[in-house]
Amino acid sequence: MNSDITTAELPLAEADTRVEKRQRLLEKLTPYGFLSPYLIIYGVFGVFPVFFMIYLSFHMWNPVEGLGSMEYVGLENYVLSLTDPTLWQSLWNTFVMAVLSGTPQHLVALPLAYFLVMMGPKVRHWLTTAYFLPYITSTVAVSMIFYVMYSKDSGIINHTLIYLADAPWSSWLFGGLKDSLPLGWVQENSLIRFSTSFVVFWKYVGFNTVIYTAGLATISNDLYEAAEIDGANSWQRFRHVSLPLLQPFIFFGVTLTIIGNMNLFDEPFVLTRGAQFAQTNGKTITMYLYQIAWEWLDMGSAAAISWILFVIIGMFTGAYFYLFGRKGLGGN
């Protein structure tokens, strides 16, 4: 009798086990169900384009003719790109503008953040907000404003220089510019790099100031007081207390600057009206990539150039990490 009951109960036990397994599986899969909208969007717009670009870089393709027009060319896109003088010129322009705009960002942001912290929280919060405003302002809007200011005929910068060159009290300093005025700030190859770099510097110096201000706020006042008791002046406290403790923040800020400045597009594109001005010195590598992709409709070469740029940025970032990474992250 007992054996009959046990035998009858076996299917019920197996059914309960299957239900429990389903419940456990459902519990495991439920979080992924809630994440599925993000995962689908990320897969479609994040993961798929990366692999498609790798595939596309080995093909010649005009998007107007559809996917069926793809033609496999192997490494030809990479070979043509690496032997293209325009690519290397645009890469050099990008590097020069990255240095001209990136270096002053940190040289100004570091002492500026230190002075803001020394002023106290009330003044610091207001001024930090003011310096941060350019960063959150639309890049296109900022570039358009500077484009108007840089105008050769009606820009305020040229009008100011003309006034200073003619005024009796300032002609001794600016009179030498009179024969060269008005200057083509975004039309002349000799000036376009400096004009663009200043716009990038002006927009992003506040962002780095906020980073360094946050870093300085983590440093204990006891260290400054101890240094002051030892006779250290303001510069010595900044040099021997602030800078060493800010190394992780400096490493973070400079890394972002390297990556961002090697991808310069919006500012030079707007200032040069899509490279209509200053064809030689004003074109960055991302502008050249855009021209190949959307003006010449050569998506294969554009994809190859994008991966070349990826490798170059990786090399710069890797070299910086190798030289300063361990120290910047607090190691020995």
Side-chain angles (χ1 to χ4, degrees):
M1 188 70 174
N2 291 336
S3 60
D4 294 338
I5 295 174
T6 304
T7 304
E9 289 178 349
L10 281 176
L12 294 176
E14 293 176 357
D16 291 340
T17 303
R18 288 196 295 270
V19 171
E20 290 177 0
K21 288 182 179 180
R22 289 196 201 98
Q23 288 177 345
R24 286 196 296 268
L25 181 62
L26 184 62
E27 290 175 358
K28 290 180 180 179
L29 294 179
T30 297
Y32 297 99
F34 286 111
L35 288 173
S36 59
Y38 166 77
L39 295 175
I40 292 171
I41 293 174
Y42 179 72
V44 172
F45 296 102
V47 177
F48 171 74
V50 173
F51 289 99
F52 182 71
M53 280 182 58
I54 296 174
Y55 175 79
L56 185 58
S57 67
F58 298 102
H59 292 76
M60 183 180 296
W61 181 47
N62 184 337
V64 176
E65 299 176 0
L67 290 173
S69 64
M70 277 192 180
E71 179 184 350
Y72 179 77
V73 294
L75 295 175
E76 183 178 337
N77 289 328
Y78 289 94
V79 174
L80 290 175
S81 299
L82 291 172
T83 55
D84 183 3
T86 306
L87 181 139
W88 293 106
Q89 176 64 45
S90 61
L91 180 61
W92 174 247
N93 295 338
T94 306
F95 176 76
V96 171
M97 284 188 262
V99 173
L100 289 176
S101 63
T103 305
Q105 285 180 36
H106 300 276
L107 293 179
V108 172
L110 268 170
L112 180 60
Y114 179 76
F115 286 123
L116 289 176
V117 171
M118 294 298 106
M119 287 180 181
K122 292 184 179 180
V123 178
R124 180 177 77 239
H125 294 330
W126 282 103
L127 291 179
T128 302
T129 302
Y131 289 123
F132 192 70
L133 278 176
Y135 175 74
I136 61 176
T137 305
S138 168
T139 303
V140 175
V142 169
S143 302
M144 286 298 297
I145 291 172
F146 272 94
Y147 176 77
V148 174
M149 294 172 62
Y150 283 143
S151 175
K152 192 170 185 178
D153 299 319
S154 58
I156 189 174
I157 297 177
N158 276 324
H159 277 282
T160 302
L161 290 175
I162 291 172
Y163 169 76
L164 293 174
D166 291 333
W169 60 274
S170 58
S171 59
W172 63 274
L173 182 60
F174 295 93
L177 294 173
K178 194 169 184 179
D179 295 335
S180 303
L181 295 173
L183 296 172
W185 295 101
V186 293
Q187 291 85 14
E188 298 177 11
N189 273 324
S190 58
L191 297 174
I192 184 63
R193 290 173 178 169
F194 299 97
S195 305
T196 304
S197 299
F198 179 79
V199 176
V200 177
F201 158 76
W202 182 85
K203 181 170 173 58
Y204 292 99
V205 67
F207 174 75
N208 290 291
T209 301
V210 170
I211 291 176
Y212 296 139
T213 302
L216 288 167
T218 65
I219 301 175
S220 174
N221 287 328
D222 295 340
L223 297 174
Y224 292 114
E225 292 174 0
E228 189 174 1
I229 292 173
D230 290 338
N233 56 31
S234 181
W235 162 250
Q236 290 171 330
R237 292 196 298 272
F238 173 73
R239 170 67 181 83
H240 298 287
V241 177
S242 300
L243 278 182
L245 295 176
L246 277 178
Q247 286 180 358
F249 296 89
I250 296 173
F251 176 79
F252 173 73
V254 173
T255 301
L256 291 183
T257 299
I258 292 173
I259 297 172
N261 284 9
M262 289 301 293
N263 282 289
L264 281 180
F265 177 79
D266 294 350
E267 294 88 352
F269 186 82
V270 174
L271 289 173
T272 62
R273 301 283 295 275
Q276 293 179 32
F277 303 142
Q279 287 284 334
T280 305
N281 290 351
K283 183 183 293 185
T284 63
I285 189 169
T286 51
M287 291 173 64
Y288 185 48
L289 189 156
Y290 173 87
Q291 185 179 39
I292 290 176
W294 299 108
E295 293 183 16
W296 302 346
L297 298 176
D298 186 358
M299 292 295 175
S301 296
I305 292 175
S306 68
W307 282 109
I308 292 171
L309 178 60
F310 172 79
V311 172
I312 292 172
I313 293 175
M315 291 171 60
F316 278 120
T317 308
Y320 177 70
F321 185 87
Y322 176 79
L323 295 173
F324 304 103
R326 182 179 298 177
K327 194 173 182 180
L329 294 175
N332 296 322

